[in-house]
Protein backbone atom coordinates (compact mmCIF):
# COMPACT_ATOMS: atom_id res chain seq x y z
CA UNK A 1 0.00 0.00 0.00
CA UNK A 2 1.43 3.42 -0.95
CA UNK A 3 2.37 5.69 1.89
CA UNK A 4 0.74 9.13 2.03
CA UNK A 5 3.01 12.06 2.80
CA UNK A 6 1.55 15.37 3.92
CA UNK A 7 2.99 18.31 1.97
CA UNK A 8 2.91 21.74 3.61
CA UNK A 9 0.74 24.06 1.54
CA UNK A 10 3.51 26.69 1.39
CA UNK A 11 5.80 24.21 -0.35
CA UNK A 12 3.32 23.60 -3.15
CA UNK A 13 3.51 27.29 -4.10
CA UNK A 14 7.30 27.51 -3.96
CA UNK A 15 9.04 28.91 -7.03
CA UNK A 16 12.67 29.30 -7.89
CA UNK A 17 14.17 32.64 -6.91
CA UNK A 18 14.49 34.91 -9.98
CA UNK A 19 18.30 34.70 -10.06
CA UNK A 20 18.19 30.88 -10.04
CA UNK A 21 15.52 30.79 -12.74
CA UNK A 22 17.54 33.26 -14.84
CA UNK A 23 20.64 31.08 -14.48
CA UNK A 24 18.73 27.99 -15.65
CA UNK A 25 17.36 29.88 -18.67
CA UNK A 26 20.84 31.20 -19.47
CA UNK A 27 22.34 27.70 -19.44
CA UNK A 28 19.52 26.16 -21.48
CA UNK A 29 19.50 29.01 -24.00
CA UNK A 30 23.24 28.73 -24.42
CA UNK A 31 22.95 25.01 -25.06
CA UNK A 32 20.02 25.51 -27.47
CA UNK A 33 22.11 28.04 -29.43
CA UNK A 34 24.80 25.44 -30.06
CA UNK A 35 27.33 26.44 -27.41
CA UNK A 36 28.56 23.43 -25.46
CA UNK A 37 28.27 23.57 -21.69
CA UNK A 38 31.20 22.66 -19.49
CA UNK A 39 30.83 19.58 -17.30
CA UNK A 40 30.09 21.79 -14.30
CA UNK A 41 27.51 23.83 -16.20
CA UNK A 42 25.83 20.68 -17.49
CA UNK A 43 25.62 19.27 -13.94
CA UNK A 44 24.24 22.59 -12.70
CA UNK A 45 21.60 22.68 -15.44
CA UNK A 46 20.62 19.05 -14.84
CA UNK A 47 20.24 19.67 -11.10
CA UNK A 48 18.12 22.77 -11.68
CA UNK A 49 15.90 20.94 -14.19
CA UNK A 50 15.38 18.10 -11.69
CA UNK A 51 14.42 20.64 -9.02
CA UNK A 52 11.95 22.38 -11.35
CA UNK A 53 10.40 19.04 -12.32
CA UNK A 54 10.03 18.09 -8.65
CA UNK A 55 8.39 21.41 -7.79
CA UNK A 56 6.04 21.09 -10.78
CA UNK A 57 5.06 17.60 -9.67
CA UNK A 58 4.31 18.86 -6.15
CA UNK A 59 2.15 21.66 -7.53
CA UNK A 60 0.23 19.31 -9.84
CA UNK A 61 -0.39 16.77 -7.10
CA UNK A 62 -1.54 19.43 -4.66
CA UNK A 63 -3.93 20.84 -7.26
CA UNK A 64 -5.35 17.40 -7.92
CA UNK A 65 -5.86 16.72 -4.20
CA UNK A 66 -7.65 20.06 -3.64
CA UNK A 67 -10.15 19.46 -6.45
Amino acid sequence: MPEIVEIPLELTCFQLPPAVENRLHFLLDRQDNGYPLSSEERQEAEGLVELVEFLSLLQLRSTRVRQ
Side-chain angles (χ1 to χ4, degrees):
M1 174 178 260
E3 188 173 322
I4 296 175
V5 177
E6 295 288 329
I7 301 171
L9 187 58
E10 313 81 60
L11 186 58
T12 63
C13 299
F14 182 81
Q15 295 183 348
L16 293 178
V20 176
E21 188 171 341
N22 289 341
R23 177 65 177 166
L24 175 57
H25 284 285
F26 171 79
L27 292 170
L28 295 178
D29 288 344
R30 223 174 117 205
Q31 179 178 289
D32 288 346
N33 289 324
Y35 296 101
L37 299 178
S38 69
S39 176
E40 293 83 15
E41 289 172 326
R42 190 171 43 258
Q43 289 176 348
E44 181 182 3
E46 288 172 359
L48 291 172
V49 167
E50 286 179 21
L51 179 58
V52 168
E53 288 174 346
F54 175 72
L55 293 172
S56 295
L57 180 61
L58 282 180
Q59 289 174 341
L60 287 172
R61 286 189 177 173
S62 71
T63 302
R64 194 174 79 191
V65 169
R66 284 187 261 156
Q67 291 179 352

